[in-house]
Amino acid sequence: MTEIDLDDLMENLAQCRRCGICRDAVYEDMGFDGICPVWKNTAGFETSFMRGKLMIAIALLEGRLEKTSDNTEALYACSLCGNCTEICAAEFDPKESLELVRAVLSDIPNEVRDTLAERILTTNNPYVTDKKGKRDWVAELGFEPPTKADTLYYFGCTAGMKLPETAKAAARLLKAAGIEFAVLEDEPCCGSVMIRTGRLQDAEENAKKVLESIQESGAKTVLVSCAGCLKTLRKDYPEKFNLSMPKIVHFVEYFLELVKSGKIKLKPLGKNVKITYHDPCHMGRELGIYEEPRDLLKAIPGVELVEMETNRRAAMCCGAGGGLRSYDPELSKKIAADRVREAEETGAEIIANACPFCEQNLESGAKLIDSSIRVADIVDLIVDLIE
Amino acid sequence: MDQRIVDELARIVGNEFVSTREDVLLTYSASASTGYESVQPGAVVKPGSTQEVADILKVANKYKIPVTPRSGGSSLQGEAIPKPDGLVVELLRLKDITVFEELRSVRVGAGITFGKLDKLLNQYDLWVPIYPESALVCTLAGNVAVNGAGPGSTAYGCIAEMVLGLEVVLPDGTIIQTGTEGNPNAPGPFLRYAFGPDLTGLFIGSLGSLGIITSVSVKTFKRVHHFHYETYGFETKQQAERFLIELKQNEIHALFVSIYEGKILDFFMDMLGEEYGIPKHEWPALTVSVTLGRVREDQLKSDIKLAKQICKQLEGHVIGIGELPKGEWDDRMRTFARSSYAHGWHWRILYHHQPPSNWHRSIEEIWAIMDKYHLLGHTAGFQSGHGSYNYYPHLYFDPQDKEEEMKVREAHKELAQRLFKTGAVPFKLAPYWIEDVEEMKDYLNLIKTLKRVIDPNNIMNPGIFGDM
Ligand code: SF4
Ligand code: SF4
């Protein structure tokens, strides 16, 4: 287990000069139009954005603030979207530091965090208390992918259990492109939410289990359709747990290559279909994948790609991440609704995305404000377009 | 804070916008003023309108609760640190903006930051051409309350010069409007000096001690699109100082002008040189970094030519490295954050103005203090208007080293006293500037009298001017 160096963490937290830029900076030259979605969608006390969260973290760690669930609330009212990190000029990563603070303070009771972890550890998913249902979509495919192959489709809990159409679309896409792929029999959860909410030790145990399952499948390449799985497997496992992973590739990256090389050709989606793209935080700010999804969308004949006011590194978050959707579902949905409004302003018919977790929340947000905009995964958009 | 009072506040703003939670109070006990002791308030309230601010102040007055107005929380000299068990009134929900294109002005609520306003005005090809270097966090109202300055001030002066009128809630809840908007039939803000004495000026730089500024009306200007960035080298301080005066005398429209000593410039290069793409150079003893900006290109060409001539007449030379002023100008909305981050730790800052001809006196005193106390520090500044130069020396300390922090506080106080003797002036009143200064007694007495009349219960940011 990679130990958290507390001195190092305290030194990082002390880097915050309380400038407050991470609250709601509008910085046109750099594309920022507001920073913290939690500040924006709550009463907006200092505790809601990173400056205040860090003050609370320091006070808790120094023992100036009592370690109670109430006093840690602000630490969890955050989607870890990283927009604050993006604009912060200090030499530390505030979002990453907050994630570590959650881990250091993980002995303070938090029912939501612990319930999620217990479910993942016992049932391989954060959603339900039994193992049923995660792989049901496979039965509806009309073909049975093997459990061992060079390429593994690691579908993830949200696609498997909440948006099976996306999981099916991804599998069909692979088949249509003539790629032989496996799907695990009992796919463990990537454990992203455990890392984000501070159950690091359990997350590490879980990560080893995930790697073992992948190794058993014999996969050299792991394809994912979820931005959270992507960031967790590609970045967190090696960096936090020192695990040596096979190649982890997002569908968008993978299919863009196939389109570019001419291996697959796409039919028109329609005529002048206006689409805007929502950057998942885990894919954009975390991994710098901004252009691939846009290039893939632009490669679809008949698509006009329009940008939201905030995009790429300055994109506002959908509100689902960092455990927020479980911790404060109402707030999480409000943030999503805000993002949907931003998409509506572009005149787009579709908000395309590359993450079922974002998609699920954006759909909730659209429902909250009765928006008729269609929220769709890029995979869903292209599955029927392969010539 | 007494629950009855909190309930009264909640009736005004709604439960959602008042808090006495321990964690919330902790986060309002401090601001960006890292070199100041935190003080826990008793409650924080977030009004959504001027009327709510007025109702809140009536309650505070009734119970004689000390009130600290706050907006961006980015002030650096302790202005928004509350009083024990006091009330913080946070104004960020006041977000109205009205553009008066024909009047060449804009009116903004106390929650509007410079960054937000700049983006909006850009759509009209307009700007308010002064950018405090905390422009992404700092609100116009907050900046007016501390009478700030920033890039752009070289041509346009301090923020006070932009103000056409203020809406202020007095401690008893009375709402007053200064400037032309005092006349409800006026089409908007178009003249500050309306209706006799300049009451607007009374509140500028008042640090929330006389009332709460809820909205600010300021001048707008056509946005400048023609820029020229240049550095000019001089061997003596007097030459460099003279250059600044001559730029002004000749109506050369410099938006941002700074003098750098060679050693300071090396320090700056370490911080941001690479990022700004500044080439390596043997800098002269003094470098003047200049951003020229004009609405019309012909004007700009004439300014470039004349600036070069003046430089030569003063036996200086055109260095030809534009990346330094360009970097400063392009980064103008957040240099405040960056200049220190690239370096040390927490800091104390000592804003003050000198005439450009006295530029060297501040530098001498700043170096002397740093040597005496063995402190790490840094100073920067810029020409801040008609005949002034704004300095903001930083004294750094490690937040985990209490001894060093105390040393910085002592050094800070001594520096203020020494600078005062050189003829420097602060743009705010602070105890460390005027304590024990016999010649200022009558001035202070007048301020005390005004404060007593306007705020008899002394609820508004008490003590902010020191022990008056
Ligand atoms: S986290 Fe960064 S941007 Fe936010 S207050 Fe601290 S230093 Fe400023
Ligand atoms: S990570 Fe996102 S939600 Fe969390 S404090 Fe930063 S900007 Fe706000």
Side-chain angles (χ1 to χ4, degrees):
Chain A
M1 163 83 192
T2 331
E3 289 294 321
I4 297 172
D5 182 335
L6 202 54
D7 289 340
D8 203 45
L9 178 60
M10 290 307 284
E11 198 163 307
N12 271 317
L13 295 171
Q15 290 294 328
C16 171
R17 307 303 205 286
R18 305 202 295 259
C19 71
I21 288 180
C22 50
R23 182 185 61 227
D24 64 335
V26 176
Y27 192 8
E28 197 175 11
D29 284 357
M30 286 174 73
F32 291 100
D33 193 63
I35 302 293
C36 181
V38 174
W39 180 83
K40 195 174 170 205
N41 290 283
T42 57
F45 285 103
E46 279 280 318
T47 42
S48 62
F49 70 102
M50 192 50 89
R51 173 166 69 179
K53 293 182 195 304
L54 294 179
M55 285 173 76
I56 290 171
I58 295 170
L60 285 165
L61 292 168
E62 286 181 352
R64 283 183 289 114
L65 191 63
E66 206 188 331
K67 290 183 175 139
T68 63
S69 301
D70 269 3
N71 285 338
T72 50
E73 245 174 49
L75 307 185
Y76 290 93
C78 163
S79 66
L80 296 177
C81 72
N83 216 11
C84 47
T85 293
E86 206 60 41
I87 195 136
C88 177
E91 284 176 348
F92 81 120
D93 180 336
K95 184 245 351 159
E96 187 67 24
S97 301
L98 184 66
E99 196 177 293
L100 289 179
V101 169
R102 288 178 176 184
V104 173
L105 297 175
S106 61
D107 50 340
I108 301 175
N110 181 318
E111 208 188 311
V112 171
R113 173 197 64 204
D114 296 341
T115 306
L116 286 169
E118 289 336 310
R119 281 188 198 150
I120 291 170
L121 294 171
T122 54
T123 68
N124 281 345
N125 80 79
Y127 294 119
V128 290
T129 47
D130 60 40
K131 284 192 172 191
K132 279 192 218 123
K134 185 166 169 180
R135 208 179 185 275
D136 287 359
W137 60 275
V138 176
E140 294 164 26
L141 274 176
F143 62 93
E144 177 72 30
T147 53
K148 291 185 198 308
D150 273 0
T151 302
L152 171 72
Y153 171 36
Y154 183 91
F155 54 93
C157 305
T158 310
M161 306 181 80
K162 299 283 179 182
L163 298 165
E165 290 309 314
T166 301
K168 281 190 272 176
R172 286 189 183 125
L173 254 180
L174 288 171
K175 188 158 173 69
I179 291 141
E180 202 182 311
F181 67 97
V183 171
L184 294 177
E185 188 56 50
D186 185 12
E187 185 189 278
C189 168
C190 73
S192 173
V193 73
M194 289 199 288
I195 301 176
R196 310 302 149 227
T197 56
R199 293 278 298 242
L200 259 192
Q201 227 148 359
D202 296 315
E204 181 165 14
E205 284 314 305
N206 180 70
K208 287 180 190 154
K209 186 162 87 175
V210 174
L211 179 57
E212 245 166 61
S213 307
I214 292 172
Q215 281 165 342
E216 273 168 26
S217 76
K220 296 190 180 66
T221 302
V222 178
L223 282 180
V224 293
S225 50
C226 168
C229 297
L230 179 72
K231 192 253 172 175
T232 305
L233 300 185
R234 190 191 277 184
K235 196 171 171 197
D236 290 336
Y237 281 16
E239 287 179 11
K240 290 188 194 293
F241 308 137
N242 217 7
L243 296 180
S244 172
M245 300 297 291
K247 208 165 154 204
I248 312 291
V249 185
H250 193 279
F251 257 76
V252 159
E253 299 171 294
Y254 193 77
F255 274 87
L256 180 64
E257 282 311 311
L258 294 180
V259 171
K260 273 192 187 163
S261 62
K263 287 199 181 113
I264 57 169
K265 284 206 164 42
L266 299 173
K267 291 184 285 193
L269 182 65
K271 242 183 155 189
N272 299 332
V273 184
K274 253 194 191 181
I275 298 184
T276 190
Y277 173 70
H278 166 76
D279 290 275
C281 306
H282 280 144
M283 230 168 130
R285 280 185 282 268
E286 288 288 353
L287 298 169
I289 303 170
Y290 297 117
E291 300 314 318
E292 291 85 340
R294 289 177 168 82
D295 289 348
L296 187 54
L297 285 168
K298 284 190 272 186
I300 307 173
V303 165
E304 184 196 342
L305 184 67
V306 287
E307 291 293 349
M308 283 185 257
E309 183 70 30
T310 64
N311 57 71
R312 298 179 172 84
R313 62 177 293 209
M316 290 304 279
C317 162
C318 77
L324 189 64
R325 192 175 152 100
S326 302
Y327 190 71
D328 189 342
E330 291 319 307
L331 170 59
S332 177
K333 285 174 203 165
K334 260 169 98 177
I335 293 174
D338 214 29
R339 187 65 171 156
V340 169
R341 268 186 226 108
E342 205 181 327
E344 281 181 331
E345 279 165 21
T346 65
E349 302 161 40
I350 299 171
I351 313 178
N353 60 79
C355 176
F357 202 49
C358 294
E359 176 171 343
Q360 186 190 203
N361 213 40
L362 288 169
E363 269 173 1
S364 307
K367 210 167 139 200
L368 196 68
I369 56 169
D370 281 330
S371 171
S372 56
I373 203 161
R374 181 181 160 206
V375 183
D377 198 296
I378 297 182
V379 166
D380 292 315
L381 290 176
I382 62 173
V383 64
D384 295 324
L385 304 180
I386 296 198
E387 281 186 354
Chain B
M1 189 172 287
D2 190 317
Q3 192 54 43
R4 271 176 318 143
I5 305 174
V6 178
D7 290 345
E8 280 191 48
L9 294 170
R11 274 196 290 278
I12 298 166
V13 294
N15 283 327
E16 198 192 345
F17 295 110
V18 58
S19 182
T20 54
R21 281 180 63 119
E22 205 184 347
D23 55 348
V24 170
L25 299 183
L26 179 115
T27 57
Y28 284 88
S29 65
S31 66
S33 302
T34 49
Y36 291 74
E37 224 49 83
S38 301
V39 180
Q40 192 127 320
V44 181
V45 64
K46 287 175 64 86
S49 68
T50 301
Q51 190 53 52
E52 287 184 5
V53 175
D55 294 342
I56 289 165
L57 287 193
K58 279 180 199 157
V59 172
N61 219 346
K62 183 165 80 179
Y63 296 103
K64 299 189 175 54
I65 305 162
V67 172
T68 306
R70 169 178 172 130
S71 46
S74 59
S75 58
L76 296 171
Q77 300 185 117
E79 292 85 347
I81 311 270
K83 298 292 161 288
D85 209 30
L87 178 66
V88 174
V89 181
E90 198 202 69
L91 302 156
L92 290 171
R93 291 178 65 215
L94 305 182
K95 287 195 283 207
D96 288 346
I97 306 182
T98 315
V99 179
F100 300 88
E101 263 190 284
E102 298 208 331
L103 305 181
R104 305 185 65 219
S105 62
V106 63
R107 176 187 170 94
V108 298
I112 296 296
T113 61
F114 283 83
K116 188 161 178 99
L117 179 63
D118 194 59
K119 183 170 179 182
L120 180 100
L121 290 179
N122 202 7
Q123 293 168 18
Y124 297 81
D125 202 23
L126 296 172
W127 66 359
V128 177
I130 295 174
Y131 295 85
E133 291 177 339
S134 53
L136 302 179
V137 205
C138 169
T139 61
L140 280 95
N143 201 245
V144 167
V146 302
N147 190 18
S153 286
T154 303
Y156 297 93
C158 299
I159 194 73
E161 310 294 347
M162 296 294 109
V163 180
L164 290 170
L166 299 174
E167 182 187 68
V168 184
V169 180
L170 299 179
D172 67 355
T174 309
I175 301 167
I176 59 153
Q177 173 67 56
T178 70
T180 49
E181 291 161 284
N183 173 359
N185 304 306
F190 61 92
L191 181 73
R192 165 168 159 184
Y193 303 99
F195 306 112
D198 177 25
L199 284 185
T200 307
L202 185 61
F203 296 100
I204 296 176
S206 67
L207 309 178
S209 64
L210 300 175
I212 295 185
I213 299 173
T214 43
S215 109
V216 176
S217 300
V218 286
K219 299 170 189 170
T220 59
F221 293 78
K222 192 160 163 54
R223 224 176 163 89
V224 162
H225 294 293
H226 300 287
F227 294 97
H228 180 76
Y229 307 98
E230 190 53 273
T231 38
Y232 304 85
F234 297 95
E235 286 314 311
T236 71
K237 291 170 181 166
Q238 284 67 26
Q239 288 167 339
E241 290 169 352
R242 189 74 219 163
F243 183 59
L244 264 59
I245 298 164
E246 289 300 325
L247 289 177
K248 275 280 174 198
Q249 285 291 49
N250 287 279
E251 304 277 337
I252 289 173
H253 207 251
L255 295 169
F256 198 42
V257 173
S258 298
I259 307 180
Y260 289 102
E261 274 185 312
K263 56 181 167 178
I264 291 272
L265 206 48
D266 289 340
F267 196 69
F268 188 91
M269 290 302 146
D270 284 354
M271 291 193 310
L272 294 165
E274 205 174 305
E275 192 186 323
Y276 288 177
I278 303 171
K280 293 248 174 301
H281 185 71
E282 273 298 313
W283 297 95
L286 282 309
T287 296
V288 180
S289 170
V290 178
T291 295
L292 296 172
R294 282 286 195 182
V295 168
R296 293 204 330 256
E297 208 175 350
D298 57 322
Q299 296 169 315
L300 182 68
K301 279 187 183 151
S302 154
D303 281 355
I304 297 169
K305 206 170 134 198
L306 195 52
K308 189 174 170 185
Q309 250 175 39
I310 295 169
C311 172
K312 293 239 163 93
Q313 277 160 12
L314 291 167
E315 293 172 16
H317 69 285
V318 177
I319 297 173
I321 295 178
E323 288 83 352
L324 168 62
K326 185 170 190 314
E328 289 172 326
W329 182 255
D330 288 350
D331 224 10
R332 66 192 180 281
M333 293 225 228
R334 55 177 195 150
T335 347
F336 126 86
R338 317 202 60 210
S339 57
S340 80
Y341 294 159
H343 257 287
W345 288 98
H346 288 194
W347 59 9
R348 269 211 163 208
I349 201 164
L350 196 62
Y351 288 108
H352 64 278
H353 291 279
Q354 285 278 13
S357 55
N358 225 12
W359 175 85
H360 63 282
R361 289 295 292 118
S362 276
I363 283 281
E364 285 161 12
E365 296 301 344
I366 293 161
W367 286 129
I369 282 289
M370 283 189 214
D371 283 349
K372 179 174 167 187
Y373 287 87
H374 304 292
L375 291 172
L376 186 65
H378 166 248
T379 188
F382 51 86
Q383 199 170 5
S384 50
H386 188 75
S388 61
Y389 192 95
N390 174 38
Y391 262 110
Y392 44 106
H394 303 166
L395 300 174
Y396 295 126
F397 62 90
D398 177 344
Q400 285 160 333
D401 183 345
K402 275 285 153 210
E403 212 177 295
E404 194 177 34
E405 185 174 348
M406 294 323 284
K407 206 157 74 170
V408 160
R409 285 193 196 183
E410 229 179 285
H412 181 264
K413 193 172 171 194
E414 186 178 338
L415 181 60
Q417 287 161 356
R418 290 168 76 146
L419 288 169
F420 188 84
K421 291 214 175 77
T422 70
V425 295
F427 39 72
K428 67 170 244 185
L429 210 47
Y432 44 82
W433 280 106
I434 36 104
E435 229 169 44
D436 306 325
V437 180
E438 201 50 45
E439 302 89 319
M440 296 283 296
K441 286 265 157 19
D442 290 343
Y443 182 88
L444 292 178
N445 278 339
L446 175 61
I447 293 189
K448 271 187 210 172
T449 307
L450 290 170
K451 167 85 171 153
R452 222 177 285 126
V453 170
I454 296 173
D455 183 15
N457 289 326
N458 193 23
I459 60 162
M460 292 308 307
N461 223 350
I464 193 71
F465 294 152
D467 188 17
M468 298 216 322

